Amino acid sequence: MKLRTFVQETFRHDYTCPLCGREKFDETPFCKRCETLFAEPRLFVCPKCGRRSVSEGLCSDCKHLPPAFTHCRSFADYEPPLSYAVIKMKFHNQPFLAAPLAQKLVDVWQKEGLAADGVCFIPLHEKRLKKRGYNQSELLARHFSEATGVPIVCALTKKKESKEQRTLSREARKKNLSNCFSADKKAVCGKTLLLIDDVITTGATLDEAAATLKKAGAVNVYCLAVCATPDPALKNLQKPKKSFLSRLFKRKGTK
Ligand SMILES: [Zn+2]
Ligand SMILES: [Zn+2]
């Protein structure tokens, strides 16, 4: 083999984990160590919103306020280091992380064995899009579409900017988001759609967006998110050792 070809073959792939910066030895998106930390098994998952739950069956939020989507699935809990990956992608101008994270969505989708006519994403309000420069959910959806062949449907628009809702319950978020999306009827009528977002917290955003799509004529709306915040009732359960993880990621330059 010529030296040039050898060098090209050897360095064809990026052998650095985009999350912790450690060397990795294959083509998987993240290093083995990060992958192990992602894959904490979830004993009970709500069959509707896909969040880790305290027991079998619907979580308290879905029992109380059934969402408009058919169901939502997520790759893992919103816990470090996966949460760091999402934060870096979203707030620290690292949109390239959308590609490896979208691969996780593809894995979940293929495991579920479902089909959709198109893939939509949660839109950002124009102002926020200008400020950030990209929409992380759109990037995830575009990488997902490329990998699966499910066409992108840019059907949703965010009409009004919603208030900060990190501390709100699903009910309060639902009120806050009421009528904030609009959907292109022609693009969605009679279709089964997949709706993609980065994180599912209470499920209110996906719920409102799915309701908008259904009002516009969509038959079925499945949802997929990279990660999901566990049911608040699980707060007392053991969590990953954050102090260790914080040290690790601080050292690697996470702000
Ligand atoms: Zn890593
Ligand atoms: Zn639920």
Side-chain angles (χ1 to χ4, degrees), residues 119-132:
V119 54
C120 302
F121 51 88
I122 297 291
L124 285 181
H125 188 267
E126 213 179 323
K127 267 189 198 167
R128 195 165 294 184
L129 185 60
K130 243 185 188 170
K131 205 172 163 190
R132 192 173 296 164

Side-chain angles (χ1 to χ4, degrees), residues 78-80 83-84 239-248:
Y78 187 67
E79 296 285 0
S83 55
Y84 290 141
K239 292 196 167 176
K241 288 170 189 158
K242 279 190 182 167
S243 53
F244 161 73
L245 286 163
S246 312
R247 278 206 305 278
L248 168 70

Side-chain angles (χ1 to χ4, degrees), residues 46-51 58-63 67 170:
C46 169
K48 192 76 178 170
C49 70
R51 293 185 303 163
L58 294 177
C59 72
S60 51
D61 275 339
C62 288
K63 260 186 217 161
R170 186 189 279 188

Side-chain angles (χ1 to χ4, degrees), residues 65-69 122 170 174 177 181 195 200 202-214 221 223:
L65 252 177
F69 49 75
I122 297 291
R170 186 189 279 188
K174 207 172 158 62
L177 290 164
F181 296 113
L195 181 57
I200 170 167
T202 64
T205 307
L206 286 169
D207 181 16
E208 180 64 25
T212 310
L213 289 170
K214 281 190 136 178
V221 182
C223 297

Side-chain angles (χ1 to χ4, degrees), residues 146-177:
E146 221 170 83
T148 57
V150 183
I152 278 273
V153 180
C154 299
L156 286 166
T157 313
K158 195 154 186 199
K159 293 187 290 183
K160 57 177 187 185
E161 208 165 10
S162 40
K163 287 179 219 151
E164 180 57 60
Q165 53 178 13
R166 265 180 232 186
T167 54
L168 304 179
S169 66
R170 186 189 279 188
E171 210 164 346
R173 282 178 183 230
K174 207 172 158 62
K175 262 189 197 161
N176 187 25
L177 290 164

Side-chain angles (χ1 to χ4, degrees), residues 17 20 31 34:
C17 172
C20 67
C31 74
C34 284

